[in-house]
């Protein structure tokens, strides 16, 4: 995954789109990641340009593009689907039919986190 500041609005024309999708920066996790990365850059380099970007953060968000490789996106979706099916299978049948959350047990202790003694 890459995050690109599209300063002049021409990134889409210059990008080879055969293997990637371009997405707007809308997810809170993505916005936080980029902002923290720029903050770290300022801390490590004293970059005045990066400081100016942070000062105009609301405008910057509109010009950021998330470059998502399609194969990576498919792998993430497959992993999320696999994880969801494992959680459902771990849930007792009675709980599944009543719409309860799955009970995930620790393989080492055989207990759920809610039932372990507090340290």
């Amino acid at each position: 995954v890459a995050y690109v500041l599209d300063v002049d609005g021409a990134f889409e024309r210059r990008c080879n789109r055969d293997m990637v999708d371009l997405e707007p920066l809308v997810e809170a996790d993505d916005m936080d990641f980029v902002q923290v990365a720029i903050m770290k850059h300022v801390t490590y380099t004293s970059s005045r340009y990066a400081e100016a970007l942070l000062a105009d953060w609301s405008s910057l968000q509109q010009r950021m593009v998330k470059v998502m490789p399609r194969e990576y996106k498919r792998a993430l979706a497959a992993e999320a689907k696999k994880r969801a099916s494992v959680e459902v299978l771990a849930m007792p049948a009675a709980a599944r039919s009543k719409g309860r959350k799955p009970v995930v047990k620790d393989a080492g202790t055989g207990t759920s986190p809610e039932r372990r003694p507090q340290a």
Side-chain angles (χ1 to χ4, degrees), residues 30-89:
D30 289 333
M31 288 185 274
D32 291 344
F33 175 82
V34 171
Q35 188 175 30
V36 168
I38 296 171
M39 288 175 177
K40 286 180 179 180
H41 180 72
V42 169
T43 300
Y44 298 137
T45 67
S46 301
S47 167
R48 290 190 182 116
Y49 183 73
E51 285 178 350
L53 293 176
L54 289 173
D56 193 23
W57 180 246
S58 59
S59 172
L60 175 78
Q61 291 177 22
Q62 305 302 314
R63 296 182 291 154
M64 292 297 299
V65 177
K66 181 178 180 179
V67 181
M68 177 63 85
R70 290 188 189 120
E71 285 300 316
Y72 183 61
K73 192 175 194 176
R74 274 193 275 273
L76 289 176
E79 182 63 29
K81 185 177 179 181
K82 179 180 174 184
R83 195 171 31 251
S85 67
V86 167
E87 288 176 1
V88 169
L89 291 175

Side-chain angles (χ1 to χ4, degrees), residues 4-11 14 49 53 63:
V4 176
L5 176 59
D6 189 5
V7 177
D8 60 3
F11 179 71
R14 293 190 304 256
Y49 183 73
L53 293 176
R63 296 182 291 154

Side-chain angles (χ1 to χ4, degrees), residues 103 105 111-117:
V103 176
K105 294 188 176 185
T111 62
S112 66
E114 297 84 24
R115 295 189 181 168
R116 278 190 217 124

